[in-house]
Amino acid sequence: MFSKIWELYLKYKEVILYLVFGGLTTLVNIVTYAVFAYVFNTDTVTSTAGAWLVSVIFAYITNKIFVFESRTDTFALLFKECASFFGCRLATGIMDIAVMYVSVDLLHFNDIIMKIVSNVLVVVLNYIFSKLFIFKKEEA
């Protein structure tokens, strides 16, 4: 029984770890947003941007080390990978800010609920970007 579970884990390890760390990144994003919005009393866009920055740093470290097990031999490769990661995350970060601005500031929906909804979209898009562009395995 355990060997079957282990086999399934190994087969889907990357997706499982991405979901775990994506969930943690989402939690970091929502908590950071709430701290900016409710402790520091910043507006929706500023709170979302601050949460984006903190969660992207967390996501880069965890994705590089645990999910995609990316190894970079030189500073140039590390810089390229990091720039690609932040560039792709910037695209979904802008989408997150737009969703929050429209849904919270203009339509007056609950900000925490909309933050969760927006993060679901962001996690899916970020996995696609990470898998296809940032941490893609080189063909041997």
Side-chain angles (χ1 to χ4, degrees):
M1 174 74 167
F2 180 73
S3 64
K4 282 286 191 196
I5 293 171
W6 187 248
E7 263 181 54
L8 281 173
Y9 170 76
L10 291 176
K11 182 175 181 180
Y12 298 106
K13 177 182 175 186
E14 186 178 279
V15 173
I16 292 167
L17 290 176
Y18 186 82
L19 289 172
V20 167
F21 287 106
L24 290 173
T25 300
T26 299
L27 183 62
V28 166
N29 188 284
I30 292 167
V31 168
T32 305
Y33 170 84
V35 168
F36 274 98
Y38 297 108
V39 175
F40 298 122
N41 294 315
T42 58
D43 61 86
T44 304
V45 171
T46 304
S47 298
T48 302
W52 173 84
L53 181 61
V54 172
S55 62
V56 168
I57 292 167
F58 176 82
Y60 177 70
I61 293 167
T62 57
N63 277 257
K64 178 175 182 52
I65 295 170
F66 301 109
V67 179
F68 298 104
E69 299 175 356
S70 174
R71 308 286 181 252
T72 45
D73 303 2
T74 66
F75 179 77
L77 287 174
L78 176 65
F79 182 80
K80 180 182 175 195
E81 179 186 83
C82 191
S84 295
F85 189 87
F86 274 81
C88 287
R89 291 304 198 267
L90 182 59
T92 57
I94 291 168
M95 183 201 76
D96 185 25
I97 290 170
V99 166
M100 291 299 290
Y101 177 74
V102 169
S103 65
V104 175
D105 290 347
L106 300 181
L107 299 175
H108 306 291
F109 293 151
N110 179 281
D111 62 336
I112 299 298
I113 291 172
M114 293 315 302
K115 192 73 183 137
I116 292 167
V117 169
S118 181
N119 269 270
V120 169
L121 298 171
V122 166
V123 166
V124 171
L125 289 174
N126 285 341
Y127 178 77
I128 292 167
F129 289 149
S130 292
K131 182 74 175 160
L132 297 180
F133 303 114
I134 302 162
F135 300 111
K136 66 181 179 184
K137 304 285 186 211
E138 297 300 321
E139 299 295 321

